[in-house]
Amino acid sequence: MYEIVKCENIFHAYHGKEENVVLQGISFSVNEKEKIAIVGKSGSGKTTLLKIIGSLIIPSGGKIIVQGNNLRSLTVPEVLEFRRKYVGFVFQDNNLIDFLTIKENIELPMKFINLPRDEREKRIEEIAEALDIKRHLYSLPKELSGGEIQRAGIGVAVANYPPLILADEPTGNLDFKTSEMVYEYFNNISEQFNSTLIIVSHDTNIKNFVDRVLDMRQINKI
Ligand SMILES: Nc1ncnc2c1ncn2[C@@H]1O[C@H](COP(=O)(O)OP(=O)(O)OP(=O)(O)O)[C@@H](O)[C@H]1O
Ligand SMILES: [Mg+2]
């Protein structure tokens, strides 16, 4: 089995007035196509860990390999290339641009990689179908409900079929039923596009939708 993410003894400290050690000796691996939840209390370092996996932060110590790339040794252009090719991010407060329609939002990452127009149209159709947002493609984000906005945000994240989807509290503002629906769409997407999924959540219900739960209390030796 191929390990798409491999963390070995990750250490991370933020430097403010005092040093704040957030991650201490974290080691775990994620297999290709696995669905993982990272849970833990507020301030336990979940977002920090997710940002390290997506190469938005370079850890202070340890080794992190994602899709064969040693993230601590990439140059700046290599980091940008890595993120564009391999990672789709979903944030709690969504990643939609408010003056673009849902269709234009999903299309934007495809334009960045110069995907031809007919291929873009085909993918948008497929993604909107999987996320059940076809009838909202020509709406602006402000015309959508919370759950629809989250699904559209997932659409943007998966626009270029990233092998790895990283989602930080994607259902943070949603009620129980809508959260379940969003998790189900995540499952659809990961199955349809063969992606690996790492979801950070406070929601204990997440365990019913993933293959494995990583609890910060167990993996962080702090
Ligand atoms: N950019 C930053 N600069 C300095 N300290 C930071 C920064 N980001 C996070 N921290 C600190 O690191 C710790 C872990 O933060 P992190 O955001 O990773 O936690 P979290 O588990 O995602 O919490 P939550 O569930 O509230 O989102 C916190 O004590 C926070 O104050
Ligand atoms: Mg967080």
Side-chain angles (χ1 to χ4, degrees), residues 139-217:
S139 308
L140 290 170
K142 66 167 192 273
E143 297 165 321
L144 270 57
S145 75
E148 289 160 358
I149 287 179
Q150 274 317 6
R151 274 139 59 198
I154 299 171
V156 174
V158 301
N160 290 331
Y161 301 160
L164 181 61
I165 301 172
L166 303 176
D168 195 359
E169 305 263 6
T171 60
N173 302 318
L174 305 176
D175 61 57
F176 182 80
K177 272 232 89 57
T178 317
S179 300
E180 284 204 332
M181 194 175 75
V182 169
Y183 294 142
E184 267 159 27
Y185 286 114
F186 265 118
N187 280 349
N188 278 354
I189 286 286
S190 61
E191 255 145 57
Q192 193 167 337
F193 304 121
N194 287 323
S195 20
T196 307
L197 188 58
I198 304 182
I199 303 187
V200 163
S201 184
H202 275 114
D203 181 358
T204 51
N205 188 39
I206 186 86
K207 63 178 183 301
N208 303 319
F209 294 87
V210 292
D211 303 317
R212 187 154 58 103
V213 176
L214 291 176
D215 189 328
M216 292 303 284
R217 278 178 310 188

Side-chain angles (χ1 to χ4, degrees), residues 48-185:
T48 305
L49 182 57
L50 203 68
K51 285 181 172 169
I52 288 173
I53 298 169
S55 199
L56 294 171
I57 299 180
I58 298 171
S60 320
K63 191 170 174 187
I64 165 122
I65 313 272
V66 180
Q67 186 93 40
N69 296 275
N70 184 339
L71 299 189
R72 290 188 73 205
S73 65
L74 298 183
T75 62
V76 173
E78 284 168 348
V79 164
L80 296 176
E81 168 90 357
F82 163 82
R83 289 208 292 258
R84 203 180 57 213
K85 265 171 101 175
Y86 301 122
V87 187
F89 288 100
V90 183
F91 300 99
Q92 174 169 356
D93 40 0
N94 81 71
N95 26 353
L96 301 177
I97 297 171
D98 55 12
F99 55 84
L100 296 181
T101 64
I102 300 307
K103 178 168 190 262
E104 290 164 338
N105 267 284
I106 298 175
E107 193 170 18
L108 201 58
M110 303 179 190
K111 286 186 168 169
F112 282 141
I113 63 162
N114 296 318
L115 207 66
R117 192 196 166 95
D118 45 343
E119 176 67 13
R120 296 202 302 265
E121 294 291 332
K122 197 177 123 239
R123 280 195 194 183
I124 292 167
E125 174 79 17
E126 196 176 53
I127 290 169
E129 177 83 42
L131 292 167
D132 193 19
I133 48 171
K134 262 168 115 170
R135 64 198 172 88
H136 301 294
L137 280 176
Y138 295 92
S139 308
L140 290 170
K142 66 167 192 273
E143 297 165 321
L144 270 57
S145 75
E148 289 160 358
I149 287 179
Q150 274 317 6
R151 274 139 59 198
I154 299 171
V156 174
V158 301
N160 290 331
Y161 301 160
L164 181 61
I165 301 172
L166 303 176
D168 195 359
E169 305 263 6
T171 60
N173 302 318
L174 305 176
D175 61 57
F176 182 80
K177 272 232 89 57
T178 317
S179 300
E180 284 204 332
M181 194 175 75
V182 169
Y183 294 142
E184 267 159 27
Y185 286 114

